[in-house]
Amino acid sequence: MKPTELSGLPDGVADHLEGEGVEELYPPQAEAVERGVTDGENVVAAVPTASGKTLIAELAMLSAVERGGTALYIVPLRALASEKKTEFERWEQYGIDVGVSTGNYESDGEWLGSRDIIVATSEKVDSLVRNGAPWIDDLSCVVSDEVHLVDDRERGPTLEVTLAKLRRINANLQTVALSATVGNAGEIADWLDAELVDSDWRPIDLKTGVHFGNAINFADGSQREVPVDSGGKQTPALVDDTLDEGGSSLVFVNSRRNAESAASRLGGVTSDHLSDGERGELRELATAIRDVSDTATSDDLADCVAKGAAFHHAGLSSEHRDLVEGAFRDRLIKVIAATPTLAAGVNTPSRRVIVRDWRRYDPEFGGMKPLDTLEIHQMMGRAGRPGLDPYGEAVLLASNNDTKEELFDRYVHGEPEPIRSKLAAEPALRTHLLATVASGFANTREELLSFLDNTLYAVQSAGSAQLESVTDTVLDYLAANEFVDRDGDTITATEIGHTVSRLYLDPMSAAEIIDGLRDAEGGRSGGQYGSRGAIDADDADESAGFVSGNELLDDDALADAPGENDAEPDDAESEADDISALGLYHLVSRTPDMYQLYLKSGDREEYEEVLFERETELLGRTPSEYDDVAFEEWLAALKTARMLEDWASEVDESRIAERYGVGPGDIRGKVDTAEWLLNAAERLAGELDLSNVVAVREAKKRVEDGVREELLDLTGVRGVGRKRARRLFEAGIESRADLREADKSVVLGALRGKKTAENVLQNVGREDPSMDGVTADAEAERAGREEEGGQASLGDF
């Protein structure tokens, strides 16, 4: 089937596809068209990676727009949203407007209503529904990318409920779901009332096998000799073999530490295969990577990149990841050692995929647990890029014959597991049931259960007893915490319940925050408005940038530098009757919405001492030391709060990373989460008419800007970050008013750049911001350098 044979697309699209080299649709794409994807029919496409799923989505969305509708493309990750928006923007020349929305969960995104195609994460779409985005009612097509992630404990329930709500809002909505090959694709199609395209076709061959001894043993019975030297290191030998043919490699490992060490070793392999031109480009790329952050992680990554290798994990900043992924796609970086986060949808194919680690530490399992077949297949599917690679190879590693046979049985010949709904767990249901009531989807227990009948869980459940039981437990919790009112059979959200839903908070987080704020208001009475222990919360989420159960091995190996906090608390904050920034940081750090830093070996004694010194600042009652789980969670939240306090006290990013054993991505993620939760705390304090709303606002602003209290006025000027504000302050410019009147030479000396100084003065409202003829004041320049030690950080801008 040729693109020009398709009907229902905007004028010019078919010819454009042929211009891109799409002479014939791939078999799964042609089957999707035959199943009605361009005619508004629901379709589930379960096909391998790199087999053309995105074009199936584009055909559905473009045909929907041509019929006068609006299309929504749901992705699991923010990074993937940006990638897809860029990809879809090529249709703008044919009159298609594309928008993307991933943050600000309080917004209704009204501006998106003018777009033809909207790209958003499932969490953002869920928040748009909660906040009553008017254009949601007008959707005619929704595409769910990576729909198999409904199996994920963290994100799965949100995607599942969001799809159910969208289909409830618009009964004629076309639903297109894209998935890797899974064991129960038919069940997913039944849930979505969809036609099924289930195929294992790939545009280029994928050979899978196991390396054992000195050869790769492939599933088809063939072998490829890849000798291993006397050291017995399989991965370097396989990477070197790939490079000999001009290909690139992806190496999957099970922890951040292993990714970094593997990349460092593999740099010795890749450096021998670089041209002089590539060495120059890599040096420039390494410099750009160092400029992103002043942490050791940034330096280590730059060292690897200069040799043509890289590591990739959630501890990197988004800027780091973008630079690495782009250079790898351009084949400038020859190998990436990555944790499984890289297999979650971002476009990074390679000639050969090497799955070095197929076990990962699982605390619930009590040790190293084999990865799911579906996850391994996702990694293996990254092998081979159409147009660049003649084939793809995916290789697992075995050190003995028994392991080789196990890998063949489990992964090479094994079928991927069926995906299962995770909706019936209380942590998932408590937030989605409140949102369902607050959004007006259901106002009785029966209506709630009826709505839940539209979910995958209902399709997969033999009976409704478990779901009814969990629903009743959650409703009791929501009522006890005054988020819903129950009047006979009628259930309505309270005013505070509506706010919690719009803020996109877990109700248990809201209960914890309200309890803490009321505790502070009432003189630390130790009230029990909400108890996190009432319902178990799952704390494992690497993508959030913090320690998960899957990263325990990694963080055990990371050193947490000893030493006291660089900044002592203000005297006023140390008084028991005042609410301190640390107390607020600790409050939000112990909510289920914040993933706490892991309490490593030796930390308990250190943070018990911190607790002894600063317990009066904390909001709420400290758990008994004999309640090990609750007490250690309290201390882990204290460690997390101390990291936030360091950031808000202008401690250098490199020092924070060293002290807490984290990467720049962890710091940024933690700061962003704290800012969001403190914003929610400010809103809740205002609605409850609590006097500590001002303290909450200041703590939020300090963590947002990464500064002490005296710099908050300066950081309110656009273009003035934590470092520039400190340099201005040390030069005697302590406020916006001072900045408007200060001697220009002093401003220039502090800011060290005429263009920067002019922009800052213009932003602060100075009548004549020009720096023409101005010479920098040497004393101001020197004072700033002495204060900061010449370092830059992610908070500088």
Side-chain angles (χ1 to χ4, degrees):
M1 183 181 292
K2 298 180 182 299
T4 50
E5 297 174 15
L6 300 174
S7 61
L9 297 176
D11 290 342
V13 167
D15 291 333
H16 183 101
L17 289 172
E18 289 201 340
E20 290 181 338
V22 184
E23 297 178 2
E24 291 273 351
L25 296 186
Y26 290 161
Q29 296 166 344
E31 184 179 351
V33 172
E34 292 168 0
R35 300 281 186 179
V37 76
T38 57
D39 298 321
E41 297 295 328
N42 297 341
V43 172
V44 169
V47 297
T49 300
S51 296
K53 290 195 294 287
T54 299
L55 182 56
I56 294 174
E58 289 180 306
L59 293 176
M61 295 190 295
L62 291 169
S63 60
V65 172
E66 181 66 8
R67 292 191 298 271
T70 301
L72 174 65
Y73 191 94
I74 301 176
V75 295
L77 303 172
R78 290 189 181 193
L80 192 56
S82 299
E83 180 182 302
K84 290 301 180 184
K85 177 180 182 290
T86 300
E87 190 173 350
F88 298 155
E89 282 177 337
R90 73 191 195 280
W91 304 120
E92 290 186 341
Q93 61 183 297
Y94 304 104
I96 308 296
D97 293 324
V98 181
V100 64
S101 183
T102 57
N104 188 5
Y105 291 143
E106 291 182 72
S107 167
D108 66 5
E110 186 174 356
W111 66 274
L112 292 169
S114 64
R115 302 300 190 265
D116 298 307
I117 295 176
I118 300 155
V119 184
T121 60
S122 55
E123 289 81 8
K124 178 59 181 180
V125 178
D126 184 23
S127 74
L128 289 168
V129 173
R130 297 186 190 197
N131 284 280
W135 55 268
I136 291 286
D137 295 343
D138 300 325
L139 281 178
S140 55
C141 175
V142 60
V143 177
S144 177
D145 197 4
E146 310 284 349
V147 74
H148 53 272
L149 291 177
V150 297
D151 191 74
D152 183 83
R153 289 183 298 178
E154 292 295 325
R155 290 186 168 88
T158 296
L159 175 58
E160 183 178 347
V161 169
T162 298
L163 287 175
K165 285 182 178 178
L166 291 175
R167 299 181 72 219
R168 176 80 169 266
I169 291 170
N170 188 340
N172 297 317
L173 181 69
Q174 179 187 16
T175 304
V176 177
L178 310 177
S179 173
T181 303
V182 296
N184 60 335
E187 198 169 42
I188 306 303
D190 289 343
W191 167 42
L192 298 174
D193 302 314
E195 296 290 323
L196 175 63
V197 177
D198 194 359
S199 172
D200 59 3
W201 184 89
R202 283 178 52 98
I204 60 174
D205 289 337
L206 173 63
K207 300 186 68 175
T208 58
V210 179
H211 186 276
F212 171 56
N214 289 306
I216 304 171
N217 302 275
F218 289 109
D220 61 7
S222 64
Q223 279 192 336
R224 178 186 177 103
E225 284 200 22
V226 182
V228 177
D229 62 24
S230 58
K233 298 295 185 182
Q234 295 166 285
T235 303
L238 287 163
V239 170
D240 190 55
D241 180 68
T242 312
L243 286 166
D244 284 341
E245 292 193 350
S248 60
S249 299
L250 269 176
V251 180
F252 285 105
V253 298
N254 60 9
S255 71
R256 299 183 188 187
R257 179 192 62 185
N258 287 337
E260 294 179 10
S261 60
S264 180
R265 289 193 300 270
L266 292 171
V269 177
T270 55
S271 62
D272 293 336
H273 292 265
L274 300 175
S275 67
D276 290 341
E278 287 174 329
R279 292 181 193 278
E281 289 184 68
L282 287 167
R283 282 194 295 270
E284 292 180 8
L285 179 61
T287 298
I289 285 172
R290 290 185 202 279
D291 289 344
V292 169
S293 164
D294 66 352
T295 60
T297 299
S298 194
D299 288 338
D300 291 344
L301 179 60
D303 290 342
C304 292
V305 165
K307 298 177 181 179
F311 53 85
H312 189 291
H313 56 59
L316 298 180
S317 70
S318 59
E319 295 92 339
H320 283 143
R321 293 196 294 269
D322 288 345
L323 289 169
V324 167
E325 290 163 13
F328 186 70
R329 282 192 290 267
D330 293 339
R331 300 292 169 102
L332 181 59
I333 289 176
K334 309 300 182 182
V335 61
I336 293 179
T339 55
T341 50
L342 194 62
V346 180
N347 181 27
T348 50
S350 66
R351 173 75 58 82
R352 178 177 282 164
V353 166
I354 302 162
V355 183
R356 196 196 77 176
D357 299 336
W358 53 279
R359 293 188 183 95
R360 183 169 54 209
Y361 183 81
D362 186 325
E364 294 182 7
F365 184 73
M368 301 298 288
K369 181 182 179 182
L371 299 177
D372 288 343
T373 302
L374 176 59
E375 187 170 1
I376 293 292
H377 283 194
Q378 281 284 93
M379 299 176 193
M380 296 165 76
R382 294 282 156 200
R385 181 160 75 170
L388 284 180
D389 296 316
Y391 61 90
E393 284 184 358
V395 184
L396 295 116
L397 309 185
S399 57
N400 56 61
N401 195 62
D402 287 344
T403 301
K404 183 187 79 170
E405 295 303 319
E406 181 180 358
L407 293 176
F408 266 103
D409 291 342
R410 184 186 293 274
Y411 299 122
V412 178
H413 298 310
E415 292 295 322
E417 300 83 2
I419 63 177
R420 306 292 302 177
S421 169
K422 301 299 189 290
L423 183 60
E426 288 175 352
L429 269 187
R430 66 179 176 240
T431 184
H432 291 298
L433 286 186
L434 175 59
T436 300
V437 172
S439 303
F441 280 91
N443 291 112
T444 67
R445 177 181 181 274
E446 289 68 29
E447 288 176 355
L448 279 171
L449 293 173
S450 176
F451 170 74
L452 293 172
D453 277 341
N454 297 317
T455 63
L456 176 61
Y457 179 82
V459 172
Q460 294 181 329
S461 301
S464 60
Q466 180 185 357
L467 191 57
E468 289 187 23
S469 175
V470 178
T471 297
D472 288 337
T473 299
V474 171
L475 285 175
D476 289 343
Y477 176 83
L478 295 175
N481 285 284
E482 300 172 10
F483 298 136
V484 299
D485 283 330
R486 305 179 78 169
D487 183 7
D489 292 334
T490 302
I491 304 170
T492 56
T494 62
E495 184 176 346
I496 202 73
H498 276 288
T499 298
V500 169
S501 181
R502 287 194 299 268
L503 290 170
Y504 210 71
L505 278 179
D506 183 327
M508 188 172 282
S509 293
E512 189 78 40
I513 289 170
I514 292 171
D515 182 37
L517 294 177
R518 284 181 166 170
D519 174 49
E521 190 86 350
R524 288 170 177 73
S525 62
Q528 294 299 312
Y529 186 87
S531 170
R532 184 174 181 178
I535 301 176
D536 289 336
D538 176 25
D539 287 334
D541 184 2
E542 184 190 6
S543 64
F546 307 110
V547 180
S548 70
N550 295 335
E551 289 290 304
L552 291 177
L553 286 182
D554 175 20
D555 283 84
D556 279 341
L558 291 171
D560 183 25
E564 293 301 315
N565 197 331
D566 292 344
E568 292 298 324
D570 296 336
D571 289 341
E573 288 189 343
S574 299
E575 296 177 10
D577 291 337
D578 292 328
I579 190 168
S580 75
L582 179 74
L584 289 166
Y585 299 152
H586 183 260
L587 176 61
V588 298
S589 293
R590 63 182 195 247
T591 67
D593 280 311
M594 175 72 85
Y595 298 96
Q596 301 168 349
L597 293 174
Y598 180 61
L599 206 62
K600 301 192 295 291
S601 176
D603 278 351
R604 177 161 177 154
E605 181 177 344
E606 177 183 349
Y607 287 97
E608 280 182 347
E609 184 175 340
V610 175
L611 177 63
F612 176 76
E613 294 172 350
R614 305 186 67 178
E615 186 174 13
T616 56
E617 296 180 56
L618 307 187
L619 310 179
R621 185 181 300 134
T622 301
S624 167
E625 295 180 40
Y626 299 104
D627 186 348
D628 283 341
V629 174
F631 188 65
E632 290 216 354
E633 280 191 355
W634 194 264
L635 293 181
L638 182 56
K639 179 179 178 180
T640 307
R642 285 268 286 184
M643 193 191 87
L644 292 169
E645 184 183 48
D646 277 358
W647 171 257
S649 299
E650 302 171 54
V651 177
D652 282 327
E653 184 187 3
S654 58
R655 180 72 178 119
I656 294 173
E658 178 187 7
R659 174 177 291 165
Y660 298 97
V662 295
D666 298 321
I667 299 171
R668 186 72 263 164
K670 190 65 117 182
V671 167
D672 287 347
T673 303
E675 183 185 338
W676 163 54
L677 290 171
L678 287 165
N679 177 67
E682 181 185 351
R683 288 283 301 279
L684 292 170
E687 288 210 15
L688 294 169
D689 198 27
L690 301 177
S691 62
N692 45 40
V693 65
V694 175
V696 176
R697 185 181 305 129
E698 181 178 296
K700 179 192 72 174
K701 187 62 177 171
R702 283 187 59 194
V703 82
E704 177 183 355
D705 294 347
V707 296
R708 301 180 189 179
E709 182 180 356
E710 67 263 26
L711 297 188
L712 288 177
D713 192 40
L714 285 172
T715 54
V717 179
R718 187 158 53 90
V720 179
R722 68 197 306 239
K723 295 290 184 179
R724 288 174 181 168
R726 179 53 62 188
R727 293 198 298 262
L728 288 167
F729 192 89
E730 294 303 314
I733 302 171
E734 300 181 1
S735 67
R736 281 179 282 193
D738 290 347
L739 192 52
R740 281 191 287 269
E741 302 296 331
D743 189 296
K744 287 184 178 180
S745 64
V746 175
V747 175
L748 182 59
L751 295 182
R752 304 175 194 160
K754 289 191 175 183
K755 187 64 177 175
T756 298
E758 287 175 348
N759 287 339
V760 167
L761 290 181
Q762 184 175 1
N763 292 337
V764 82
R766 185 131 175 182
E767 186 173 339
D768 177 21
S770 173
M771 284 286 166
D772 291 343
V774 177
T775 301
D777 181 87
E779 185 175 347
E781 193 171 20
R782 184 172 58 254
R785 291 193 187 282
E786 289 173 355
E787 170 64 25
E788 68 174 23
Q791 299 189 54
S793 84
L794 60 85
D796 198 20
F797 303 99

